[in-house]
Amino acid sequence: RDDTAPSIVADEATPIAAAVAHARARGKSRAVLVTGRQTSPVEQARIAAYRAAFAAQGLTLSAEHAGDYSYESGRSLSAAVLRDGPEAAIFATADAMAMGVIDAGRADIAGKPGDWAFYGFDALSLARSEAYPISSIGYDLDAYIARVIDHLRQPELFVAPAGVITIPGSFMPHPFCGGPAAFECWPAES
């Protein structure tokens, strides 16, 4: 991000901390992290937020695997990601990667499906299905777009001093993991 320009960003650290706390409350003491493009400053910040949350909750990061946000990269990493077994919480920085891990590892997961804990990012509606027990992180895309449109319509509101406008993020536990059957509304913008 250019520090002299205004930015509209999503708060990712708060819901990441909530997701990691959820895993700890489920009895997990280890974590596996599946990351996206590590050259991205956004992904670097996301990875740092996960590592900080793991440390704060006392979860040991037992493995980290680099993917590319795609379903295919999750599938290709599945065996390595699932190696720690259901004792480790699986965190992916994209729901699509978590879905790939699950699909390629269904035979391993089938023995104890309720013991596994999968966490994604993007809040895709498919992640809330029975096929994909993924608790996810997301933010209100409509609120984000509205702020961008405000900036385009009234750029004078965003002139010096440049600031950061933050859209709140949310952690949404899967219904199988204590979450609501449907996530119907986003928290109000702060």
Side-chain angles (χ1 to χ4, degrees), residues 159-170:
V159 180
V164 176
I165 296 168
T166 304
I167 304 298
S170 295

Side-chain angles (χ1 to χ4, degrees), residues 19 33-36 43 46 50 68-75 90-104 106 118-129 131-139 170-174 183 186:
L33 182 61
V34 184
T35 65
E43 185 71 355
R46 193 176 287 169
Y50 276 107
D68 63 9
Y69 306 111
S70 71
Y71 173 85
E72 292 77 16
S73 70
R75 285 188 64 86
I90 311 298
F91 293 88
T93 61
D95 287 346
M97 289 191 301
M99 290 174 186
V101 168
I102 290 170
D103 280 347
R106 288 216 184 263
F118 293 95
Y119 297 86
F121 206 101
D122 298 322
L124 298 179
S125 59
L126 191 55
R128 302 197 56 73
S129 71
Y132 296 108
I134 301 168
S135 297
S136 192
I137 293 166
Y139 57 91
S170 295
F171 167 62
M172 294 154 280
H174 189 277
F183 191 72
W186 293 92

Side-chain angles (χ1 to χ4, degrees), residues 7-162:
S7 297
I8 303 168
V9 299
D11 171 17
E12 297 184 350
T14 301
I16 286 171
V20 173
H22 183 268
R24 189 69 172 131
R26 290 189 63 195
K28 304 300 179 183
S29 60
R30 292 193 325 265
V32 174
L33 182 61
V34 184
T35 65
R37 190 172 50 90
Q38 295 184 353
T39 56
S40 161
V42 172
E43 185 71 355
Q44 291 167 3
R46 193 176 287 169
I47 292 167
Y50 276 107
R51 289 178 180 158
F54 296 151
Q57 289 292 327
L59 266 74
T60 300
L61 179 58
S62 58
E64 188 172 314
H65 303 280
D68 63 9
Y69 306 111
S70 71
Y71 173 85
E72 292 77 16
S73 70
R75 285 188 64 86
S76 69
L77 292 168
S78 185
V81 169
L82 299 177
R83 191 169 293 131
D84 276 338
E87 294 77 24
I90 311 298
F91 293 88
T93 61
D95 287 346
M97 289 191 301
M99 290 174 186
V101 168
I102 290 170
D103 280 347
R106 288 216 184 263
D108 295 323
I109 296 166
K112 296 183 176 181
D115 292 350
W116 291 88
F118 293 95
Y119 297 86
F121 206 101
D122 298 322
L124 298 179
S125 59
L126 191 55
R128 302 197 56 73
S129 71
E130 289 182 29
Y132 296 108
I134 301 168
S135 297
S136 192
I137 293 166
Y139 57 91
D140 185 349
L141 193 54
D142 290 336
Y144 189 89
I145 291 169
R147 296 310 300 238
V148 170
I149 290 170
D150 288 346
H151 173 68
L152 294 172
R153 287 186 177 155
Q154 300 175 314
E156 66 277 3
L157 297 177
F158 294 86
V159 180

